[in-house]
Amino acid sequence: MAHRTGVRAPSRLAAAFFDRDAALVAPDLLGALISTGTGEQRATARIVEVEAYRGADDPGSHAFRGRTPRNAAMFGPPGTLYVYFVYGMHFCANVVCGPAGTPHAVLLRAAEPRSGVDVMRTRRRSARRDHDLLRGPGNLAAALGIDRDLDGARPGRRWSIGDDGSPAPEVRVTTRIGLAAGRGDDLELRFVVVGSPAVSRSRAG
DNA sequence: CGGCCGATCCACT
DNA sequence: GTGGATCGGCCGA
């Protein structure tokens, strides 16, 4: 008999879940659980902020100018992880959406820690409170130990996203963060869970 | 709370 | 050579 953990065992999301336009997958990912690592390194968090990047026609997407070595993972099958390095020090994690060859992706921007808080703290020394651990895409990747090793990884032992059966959270939609003018910065493709402490107040919408 | 700035690497032009 | 799907510290209000 399994002992109580306070966290319902997450069921892995089916590949079909991701085989859609990123703008449709993104809001459905809110409230889902992402897990990384095994054993002592295991960590799980509830996704509360995401952005949709809609492939070759989206000027804000890394795939806008076609396939390159860096964005190759975006062209993989739905559910593939796309990890990139920015500003000389941060990694950001995306889940690839749509059929293979259509480079849609959902950027994971913030999450609430559910288990493995100790490992996350060792990876995020500067985080003051628990809800700061995975606030922001660079911090989320750092807390979960996501780096270039996981670029292109399929869901499995090293990482996975699942549903815990909770009711769908209330969602708010805003424009995307950090894009230069003219790069689709006016599109409402950012989705946040209303009231989550892991979404900063000024950016709650 | 909001704005500004430096840090630090690398993919692409 | 340039600038980025960022972060955290520091400043002034």
Side-chain angles (χ1 to χ4, degrees), chain A residues 166-187:
Chain A
S166 302
E170 185 184 349
V171 175
R172 187 162 295 155
V173 187
T174 78
T175 55
R176 295 179 292 187
I177 307 285
L179 290 184
R183 296 285 198 109
D185 59 307
D186 54 336
L187 303 176

Side-chain angles (χ1 to χ4, degrees), chain A residues 81-84 91 145-154 158-159:
Chain A
L81 201 63
Y82 165 49
V83 181
Y84 67 91
F91 292 98
I146 294 174
D147 61 16
R148 57 180 104 248
D149 285 353
L150 281 177
D151 183 36
R154 307 279 310 137
R158 292 193 296 164
W159 80 279

Side-chain angles (χ1 to χ4, degrees), chain A residues 48-119:
Chain A
V48 297
E49 177 183 351
V50 295
E51 282 176 358
Y53 287 85
R54 304 186 62 211
D57 298 326
D58 179 350
S61 170
H62 289 168
F64 184 59
R65 304 201 182 278
R67 184 173 178 151
T68 67
R70 176 173 74 152
N71 66 23
M74 297 184 88
F75 293 79
T80 300
L81 201 63
Y82 165 49
V83 181
Y84 67 91
F85 184 66
V86 272
Y87 297 113
M89 58 195 87
H90 303 295
F91 292 98
C92 295
N94 303 249
V95 184
V96 173
C97 300
T102 62
H104 281 226
V106 174
L107 171 68
L108 306 179
R109 288 196 61 94
E112 299 167 358
R114 279 301 183 85
S115 63
V117 174
D118 291 346
V119 216

Side-chain angles (χ1 to χ4, degrees), chain A residues 8 30-33 46 114 162-169:
Chain A
R8 224 173 320 185
L30 294 178
L33 301 179
R46 174 177 180 256
R114 279 301 183 85
D163 191 351
D164 71 351
S166 302

